[in-house]
Amino acid sequence: MATKAKQETPAAAKSKAIAKAKAIAPDVPVRIGQTPETDLRGLPDVFGRLIEDHDRHRALLSMIEATDGKSEDRATLFEELVYELKAHAAAEEQALWSTVLRNPETTEFARHAVAEHKDIDKMLDDLTARDMATKKWMERFADLKHEYLHHIREEEQEQFVESEKILSDADRKYMRTVFERRKKEEKAAAELKPKLKINDIA
C-alpha cells in the first residue's frame, strides 16, 4: 500500500528535491537560483509531486553545467537526467494530461505540454548521440536547459493552475498515485538510446 503523502512547506519540499539530485554527485555544486512563484509546491497531490520533480530537474541541470568535459560526474548526472525527464514526462501524461485533455476548457494546455515533452525528448536523444567533452555538446545542453526551464515555468504558472480548477481534491490525490506508479515503471525501463551517432569538433 502506498504511503500517504503529507503536506510540506515549500522550502522543505524544494530542499528535499535538491537533496535527491545532490545524492547522485555529492561533490558537484548546485545553484538553481530563484524558482517561479507557485502555491502548489509541497502539496500532497499530483501538482506538489510534479513540482518536486521539477526542482530535482533544475538541480540536475545546474550540476551538469558545473561539470567539466567527459568527467564521471557529468556522465552520471546526464544519465540520471535522461531517465528522470523521460520517466517524468510519460508518467505526467498518463496521470494528469490524459484527463485534462478531455475537458474543452483545458485541452489546449494539455496539448501544448505534451508537444513540448516530445521536443525535449528529441533534444535528449540528440545530446545522447554527441560527445559530451565537446563545446558543441555544451551549446546543445544550454539549449535543452533553456527549453526545459521554460517548459516547467509554463506548467507551474499556467497549465497546472488552469488544470487545478477542473479537478477535485480526490482526483488530484489519485493522480499522484498513478504518477508514482507509472514513473517508477518508466524509469526502470528507460535507456540511453541515441538515434544516431554525431561526431562534433570541439
Side-chain angles (χ1 to χ4, degrees):
M1 190 168 138
T3 305
K4 190 175 179 182
K6 297 178 183 176
Q7 183 157 353
E8 299 175 292
T9 66
K14 189 187 290 188
S15 294
K16 181 174 81 174
I18 292 170
K20 285 182 179 178
K22 190 76 177 152
I24 304 295
D27 296 329
V28 179
V30 182
R31 296 184 187 90
I32 68 171
Q34 285 191 315
T35 51
E37 287 292 323
T38 177
D39 295 328
L40 303 174
R41 182 177 280 108
L43 293 182
D45 64 13
V46 70
F47 297 114
R49 182 63 185 83
L50 291 169
I51 292 172
E52 179 190 326
D53 265 14
H54 290 176
D55 287 337
R56 184 178 183 182
H57 302 160
R58 289 179 176 106
L60 289 169
L61 289 163
S62 161
M63 292 168 75
I64 291 168
E65 211 167 39
T67 59
D68 295 311
K70 208 175 214 171
S71 66
E72 185 177 338
D73 281 338
R74 178 175 288 181
T76 301
L77 288 164
F78 180 65
E79 182 174 342
E80 177 67 10
L81 181 72
V82 172
Y83 291 168
E84 267 291 309
L85 296 192
K86 287 177 179 282
H88 173 93
E92 182 181 278
E93 287 171 19
Q94 179 175 345
L96 177 65
W97 298 129
S98 63
T99 297
V100 173
L101 191 64
R102 293 195 291 269
N103 189 308
E105 293 179 37
T106 50
T107 296
E108 281 309 309
F109 289 106
R111 283 182 178 159
H112 184 74
V114 171
E116 288 194 341
H117 286 173
K118 304 309 176 203
D119 292 340
I120 289 161
D121 196 57
K122 288 176 186 172
M123 295 176 90
L124 289 169
D125 289 342
D126 177 77
L127 280 165
T128 302
R130 295 177 184 273
D131 181 352
M132 65 175 55
T134 64
K135 181 180 176 184
K136 180 60 76 176
W137 193 90
M138 280 308 298
E139 289 172 359
R140 295 292 181 118
F141 176 77
D143 291 341
L144 169 72
K145 181 181 177 185
H146 175 80
E147 184 70 22
Y148 189 69
L149 292 180
H150 166 79
H151 168 69
I152 59 178
R153 176 183 290 273
E154 276 192 334
E155 283 192 333
E156 292 173 12
Q157 296 195 312
E158 298 173 28
Q159 293 150 7
F160 290 174
V161 174
E162 292 303 314
S163 300
E164 182 189 22
K165 294 174 185 176
I166 67 161
L167 300 171
S168 68
D169 288 346
D171 288 336
R172 290 159 58 171
K173 287 178 180 172
Y174 174 72
M175 285 175 173
R176 178 175 179 133
T177 303
V178 174
F179 176 84
E180 297 281 14
R181 183 179 66 243
R182 179 69 190 273
K183 186 181 174 192
K184 186 176 180 181
E185 292 167 356
E186 287 288 332
K187 197 165 180 184
E191 293 179 285
L192 282 174
K193 285 178 72 175
K195 290 183 178 174
L196 68 164
K197 189 68 181 171
I198 301 170
N199 294 317
D200 286 322
I201 298 171

